Amino acid sequence: MSRDLQDISYGLEPDMTLEQFRSILKSSGLWERRPYDHLQQLEQMLRGASIIVAARDSSGALVGVSRAVTDYGYCCYLSDLAVDKRCQGQGIGRTLIAETHRHAGPHTTLILLSAPAARTYYPRIGMQPIPSGWMIPAPAGGFPPSPPPAQVSADVPASASMISATAEASGIASTEQPTDGTLET
């Protein structure tokens, strides 16, 4: 299904529906690397995004999407780039990246984690590899629910309790938290 790039329109779609998002995840193949059958989590992913850019053909069919989280000043994490397999190789992904970066702001650095099959794509469009990066993967089964505010100790800032709970859930050894309201890094 070759489409003329001039027939593709790009625009912000902050209210993209869950059904549309699932459809492009499926047609792009990205569904295998996302929580496709966990509808509540997919909905959170959509509603928590700072930027959602859609690519649509002349009939209005969704052929690509980028979903990103940004502070609009320093960095933009492009968490999903999905282009229908039938439309790949036509510059749609490159344009989605450019539009996402444009909406994030002129001073932001765009960051993404590549799917294994796409590792050779990004250098070809001018992106630079990051020599080192670190992550704490989500634990199997997800994170435990956050404690209600009343259960947070008055001696430990809420952010420190949250970091401690996240570290425990992720299997990271907890360290002693300061009690003066600061976090050491």
Side-chain angles (χ1 to χ4, degrees):
M1 171 188 310
S2 180
R3 289 187 164 93
D4 185 350
L5 284 181
Q6 294 184 5
D7 290 339
I8 304 296
S9 61
Y10 300 85
L12 291 174
E13 291 196 20
D15 297 322
M16 179 174 285
T17 67
L18 182 59
E19 294 77 24
Q20 291 171 327
F21 187 53
R22 288 183 83 222
S23 174
I24 195 65
L25 289 177
K26 190 71 163 180
S27 67
S28 69
L30 192 57
W31 73 276
E32 296 171 340
R33 302 180 50 78
R34 296 297 180 269
Y36 184 79
D37 291 325
H38 299 273
L39 303 184
Q40 184 177 6
Q41 190 174 9
L42 283 177
E43 186 71 34
Q44 285 179 300
M45 290 165 59
L46 275 175
R47 299 308 148 229
S50 308
I51 299 170
I52 298 173
V53 179
R56 294 188 178 273
D57 69 12
S58 58
S59 72
L62 185 64
V63 296
V65 69
S66 65
R67 188 182 68 82
V69 179
T70 185
D71 57 20
Y72 297 99
Y74 181 70
C75 66
C76 175
Y77 172 59
L78 179 55
S79 48
D80 292 313
L81 179 64
V83 176
D84 186 314
K85 286 182 180 180
R86 300 170 296 175
C87 301
Q88 292 177 2
Q90 299 177 48
I92 295 170
R94 178 192 303 249
T95 304
L96 283 167
I97 292 169
E99 285 295 300
T100 301
H101 201 188
R102 184 175 71 82
H103 287 290
H107 301 290
T108 59
T109 296
L110 189 129
I111 303 160
L112 65 79
L113 298 174
S114 176
R119 286 188 180 137
T120 59
Y121 169 71
Y122 298 106
R124 290 194 320 249
I125 64 167
M127 294 186 79
Q128 301 171 12
I130 300 171
S132 66
W134 309 98
M135 68 178 207
I136 300 172
F143 286 103
S146 299
Q151 292 180 353
V152 174
S153 168
D155 293 338
V156 181
S159 57
S161 294
M162 205 154 147
I163 290 169
S164 178
T166 302
E168 287 177 28
S170 301
I172 298 174
S174 66
T175 58
E176 191 173 312
Q177 300 292 333
T179 58
D180 64 357
T182 62
L183 292 176
E184 295 176 6
T185 56

